[in-house]
Amino acid sequence: MASVPYPFTAVVGMDDMRLSLLLNAVSPAIGGVLVRGEKGTAKSTVVRGLTALLPDIDVVAGCRFSCHPQAPDPHCPDGPHEPGTGATRPTRMVELPVGASEDRLVGSLDIERALADGVKAFEPGLLAQAHRGILYVDEVNLLSDHLIDHLLDAAAMGASHVEREGVSVRHAARFLLVGTMNPEEGELRPQLLDRFGLTVEVAASRDPKLRVEVVRRRLAHDDDPAGFAARWAGEESALRERITAARALLPRVRLGDDALRRIAATCAAFEVDGMRADIVMARTATALAAWAGREDVTVDDVRQAALLALPHRRRRNPFDAPGLDEEKLDRTLEEAGGDDEPDPEPQGPDDGGPDGGGDGGPGGGGRPDGGVPPQPQGPREEAGEEPSAERPEPDGAPESDGTPEPQAQPQPSAGAGPAAEQAPVKAAEPYRTRTLTVPGLGDGAAGRRSRARTEHGRTTGSRRPRGALTKLHLAATVRAAAPHQRARGRSGPGLVVHRDDLRQAVREGREGNLVLFVVDASGSMAARQRMGAVKGAVLSLLLDAYQRRDKVGLVTFRGRDAELALPPTSSVDAAAARLQTLPTGGRTPLAAGLLKAREVLRVERLRDPARRPLLVVVTDGRATGGPEPLRLAGRAAALHAAEGTAAVVVDCETGPVRLGLAAELAHGLGGDVVALDELRADAIAGLVRDVRTTRRAA
């Protein structure tokens, strides 16, 4: 028996998310919804509940590609179809698993039929199944790059093209793309982020009354799913009828020049890329008017459309906080307004506008515009983390090598010792860094940093399949079968192939690594005002890790000990936030930092043995505190070298006299050393140009 989905109208709170989904149900051309939020906030439950509200669709009977009977796709692989009456079926929601293969997504040649019967049969994938329905991707930010590429192509073209193993197929693939993600597990590629029409942030309510109601309804549904759904059948039917009515009204909604001016001014003010934002805002504002039962788009519709369509497009940097400056939005809308329309009065949470309150039912009548009424939400947590309090180290005064102290140093509070921590330093602007990789060939998670054996990439060889055959190496299969044709009694054209002849293609691509930063936050780094440049360098490396789909961790050392400031995570946003609030001061326990990093890597090897680590130590190589600090640091480095950990030391030493301690540390780690001012990719390119110029002159 099929499980009964949780009713859409029974969901408590999450008004922006429900409204965004309903607007896409009214106008699928908006382009889908990306739902960002912490785990356990019923993101998947709400999306599945939407499917039951969508009207049935007409399809050509027996067509695996859901062609419309009145306008069938002329390129349909199951066609050609003659226009006429067809069958009716419910709108389908297709789920794309994070671990799906490329063949599962786009379809592939039916290998067994091709080899057994000589027929080039195409097996449709999930893109074909999702046509004219919903393609739902949970944890969309964890998808492999090759799957995202196919999603981008299908979303842009409305069709999927398959060229592989002698099969050439094109079929329509227009769907409502709905994705959910937890930002703590990593961000989404900007190219795919822009393909989502709308985005919303969700968080669990901090109101105890609402939390109690959530639990009460969830338990009631789990105890008696059918009975619970029956109690909400009236609200579900009313909302379904309202979607149908809004769809019928949508073509008659007028989008005036004044609304278009406000849309264009808003997109320009927030510096969004391209024109997709303007188009999505226009479609969203039109759908909002239709949803409210109006034939004219108002300023409130434009404002609400901006809050839903622009937050994920205005971000210039992966580390910027999401959201819009609403004061700037209101000011822009007012300045762009025409003289023929009075300025709208600001609407509060209970005024019945797009953000207004209601009586709690999504299809209820508590709002003049008929929008989805919100339910009170608790305060949302800020994205950053508060810096942890550190005790001053009485015996750890900042080190000095004779360089004069800067004049504008933060002053310690009264009664603090000489090692009192200094205020966090702002990071310098990030830049594109030179590529750091892990040597050898790995088997880790898909990414863009180091070479690895993967399911995707360039073909480098073949092997016998271990388990199910996924990527046929046709030439190797033919070579394996050819010597046995006479023994197998082949008497005519063709090739007799047995299962033992099949060969799996071996491919080489790129993997994401675990990049563990070990950052020196001692007084020797702060005394010469280097911490801003150091933070800028680490921020640049974090940006590089984001682009290469790595996990990152952050270990800092100062005073007497080392601290795991951020356990390994896929969220580089969290690492950037911790870095910005990193305090400095005290001695340099280099050995403690290396040993803490070794312990972190040991635990991560147990959790994820396939993901190879890259240790990035950011320091000037000095070691102080305790007996024989340099010898202890050397022994700790030797432990990393013995375990084969790839390491890079970013040398932060400055001044006319340099001790070269960072280079000695890199030698002990068995890794490379990069000067801080040579970390920039353009600095390396400039160095190469200088060398070439010198050679030509010689």
Side-chain angles (χ1 to χ4, degrees):
M1 177 179 177
S3 60
V4 179
Y6 192 91
F8 187 87
T9 52
V11 174
V12 178
M14 293 191 292
D15 309 291
D16 286 345
M17 177 181 177
R18 291 187 293 137
L19 177 60
S20 297
L21 291 171
L22 290 170
L23 292 177
N24 274 274
V26 172
S27 177
I30 289 174
V33 184
L34 174 65
V35 184
R36 297 164 47 96
E38 57 196 25
K39 54 184 177 293
T41 49
K43 300 186 293 292
S44 303
T45 299
V46 181
V47 176
R48 293 187 178 97
L50 174 71
T51 309
L53 297 174
L54 299 180
D56 293 345
I57 62 172
D58 295 327
V59 296
V60 173
C63 178
R64 298 174 297 169
F65 300 86
S66 301
C67 285
H68 195 290
Q70 300 303 321
D73 181 5
H75 302 286
C76 177
D78 284 355
H81 305 298
E82 292 295 331
T85 59
T88 301
R89 67 162 175 81
T91 299
R92 181 185 296 155
M93 185 185 80
V94 177
E95 296 190 43
L96 173 60
V98 170
S101 66
E102 184 178 359
D103 292 343
R104 185 74 184 95
L105 177 65
V106 302
S108 64
L109 175 71
D110 190 326
I111 299 294
E112 293 188 3
R113 287 191 60 189
L115 293 178
D117 305 330
V119 177
K120 291 184 179 180
F122 178 70
E123 184 67 26
L126 296 178
L127 290 178
Q129 297 178 28
H131 179 49
R132 302 178 65 199
I134 298 176
L135 181 61
Y136 173 57
V137 189
D138 194 13
E139 306 295 349
V140 63
N141 52 323
L142 302 183
L143 276 182
S144 300
D145 281 352
H146 67 284
L147 297 183
I148 290 180
D149 292 338
H150 287 296
L151 279 180
L152 287 173
D153 289 342
M157 306 301 296
S160 176
H161 298 262
V162 184
E163 301 281 349
R164 53 176 45 187
E165 286 92 25
V167 173
S168 179
V169 171
R170 177 206 173 277
H171 64 83
R174 291 182 292 273
F175 45 79
L176 171 60
L177 182 61
V178 180
T180 62
M181 61 174 284
N182 181 357
E184 294 180 357
E185 297 175 343
E187 283 294 343
L188 199 60
R189 281 174 54 186
Q191 295 92 334
L192 183 58
L193 193 63
D194 189 51
R195 289 296 177 185
F196 287 96
L198 310 179
T199 184
V200 293
E201 299 276 338
V202 297
S205 173
R206 303 301 188 257
D207 186 342
K209 293 182 180 179
L210 288 181
R211 296 176 76 97
V212 167
E213 185 61 23
V214 170
V215 174
R216 181 182 291 118
R217 294 186 186 184
R218 183 77 249 183
L219 294 178
H221 175 268
D222 292 345
D223 291 341
D224 183 11
F228 185 83
R231 290 197 296 273
W232 290 88
E235 287 81 354
E236 293 280 291
S237 177
L239 194 57
R240 189 178 298 109
E241 293 175 0
R242 188 174 172 190
I243 292 173
T244 303
R247 282 185 170 184
L249 178 61
L250 185 66
R252 304 198 302 273
V253 175
R254 293 183 294 271
L255 184 66
D257 290 342
D258 184 72
L260 284 172
R261 282 196 304 271
R262 294 179 193 268
I263 290 172
T266 302
C267 292
F270 286 98
E271 300 180 1
V272 298
D273 294 329
M275 295 298 298
R276 184 174 288 115
D278 303 66
I279 297 171
V280 171
M281 271 191 67
R283 289 171 174 167
T284 304
T286 304
L288 280 163
W291 180 248
R294 291 183 273 100
E295 294 188 0
D296 291 288
V297 173
T298 66
V299 177
D300 290 331
D301 295 330
V302 175
R303 185 182 191 277
Q304 182 69 21
L307 293 174
L308 296 174
L310 296 188
H312 60 305
R313 293 187 167 92
R314 60 153 285 272
R315 297 177 64 186
R316 316 306 300 172
N317 188 299
F319 307 132
D320 291 343
L324 290 182
D325 182 344
E326 296 196 29
E327 291 184 3
K328 179 180 179 180
L329 173 61
D330 292 334
R331 186 168 60 252
T332 302
L333 292 174
E334 182 179 355
E335 293 172 353
D339 298 332
D340 56 341
E341 183 176 347
D343 292 333
E345 295 183 1
Q347 294 190 353
D350 297 321
D351 289 338
D355 296 320
D359 60 3
R367 298 175 47 171
D369 68 350
V372 174
Q375 297 170 347
Q377 298 269 357
R380 297 186 179 182
E381 299 292 336
E382 294 293 334
E385 295 285 344
E386 291 296 326
S388 58
E390 298 282 348
R391 293 180 298 177
E393 300 292 344
D395 63 343
E399 305 151 77
S400 175
D401 59 357
T403 305
E405 292 290 333
Q407 297 298 316
Q409 287 293 323
Q411 298 297 322
S413 59
E421 69 180 39
Q422 302 174 12
V425 180
K426 183 179 180 181
E429 287 298 319
Y431 48 82
R432 187 169 65 91
T433 67
R434 59 182 295 184
T435 304
L436 307 177
T437 59
V438 178
L441 198 63
D443 297 288
R448 294 185 169 189
R449 184 172 296 279
S450 305
R451 294 172 55 224
R453 290 175 291 266
T454 63
E455 290 295 322
H456 312 278
R458 63 187 183 90
T459 301
T460 59
S462 64
R463 60 171 173 80
R464 292 180 183 272
R466 305 186 187 108
L469 177 67
T470 56
K471 296 290 182 182
L472 177 70
H473 195 298
L474 185 59
T477 299
V478 172
R479 285 196 299 268
H484 309 290
Q485 296 306 297
R486 180 174 297 179
R488 293 172 183 174
R490 184 177 67 88
S491 57
L495 189 69
V496 178
V497 179
H498 292 177
R499 183 173 296 275
D500 192 54
D501 301 324
L502 300 180
R503 294 296 182 268
Q504 173 83 32
V506 176
R507 298 193 174 192
E508 182 179 304
R510 293 279 173 173
E511 67 177 359
N513 302 126
L514 165 60
V515 183
L516 182 62
F517 295 95
V518 182
V519 180
D520 184 350
S522 65
S524 66
M525 302 291 287
R528 285 171 292 280
Q529 288 188 318
R530 290 180 301 190
M531 206 58 201
V534 168
K535 285 187 175 183
V538 178
L539 196 63
S540 303
L541 291 167
L542 284 172
L543 181 60
D544 182 69
Y546 159 78
Q547 294 168 341
R548 298 181 188 278
R549 302 178 68 84
D550 297 317
K551 289 180 69 175
V552 296
L554 179 62
V555 172
T556 64
F557 58 94
R558 67 185 192 93
R560 292 179 178 174
D561 204 356
E563 174 191 9
L564 179 59
L566 182 74
T569 175
S570 295
S571 175
V572 294
D573 283 5
R578 299 292 177 90
L579 180 70
Q580 294 285 14
T581 58
L582 178 66
T584 59
R587 293 189 180 274
T588 313
L590 178 57
L594 295 175
L595 291 176
K596 172 65 75 173
R598 179 171 178 259
E599 176 62 20
V600 172
L601 294 180
R602 184 188 68 83
V603 174
E604 285 302 309
R605 285 190 183 98
L606 297 175
R607 292 176 176 171
D608 191 358
R611 190 181 288 269
R612 295 187 295 164
L614 174 63
L615 187 67
V616 180
V617 186
V618 185
T619 181
D620 56 8
R622 297 171 182 265
T624 61
E628 301 182 351
L630 283 175
R631 185 180 65 84
L632 291 176
R635 292 178 60 183
L639 293 174
H640 283 283
E643 292 168 352
T645 302
V648 175
V649 177
V650 179
D651 185 2
C652 302
E653 191 174 26
T654 58
V657 179
R658 304 193 183 190
L659 303 178
L661 297 176
E664 294 182 12
L665 175 62
H667 179 74
L669 288 167
D672 299 324
V673 61
V674 180
L676 185 62
D677 54 0
E678 294 178 358
L679 190 62
R680 293 176 178 267
D682 52 1
I684 299 299
L687 180 63
V688 172
R689 286 194 298 270
D690 292 343
V691 171
R692 289 175 178 171
T693 302
T694 303
R695 288 177 177 174
R696 284 197 299 268

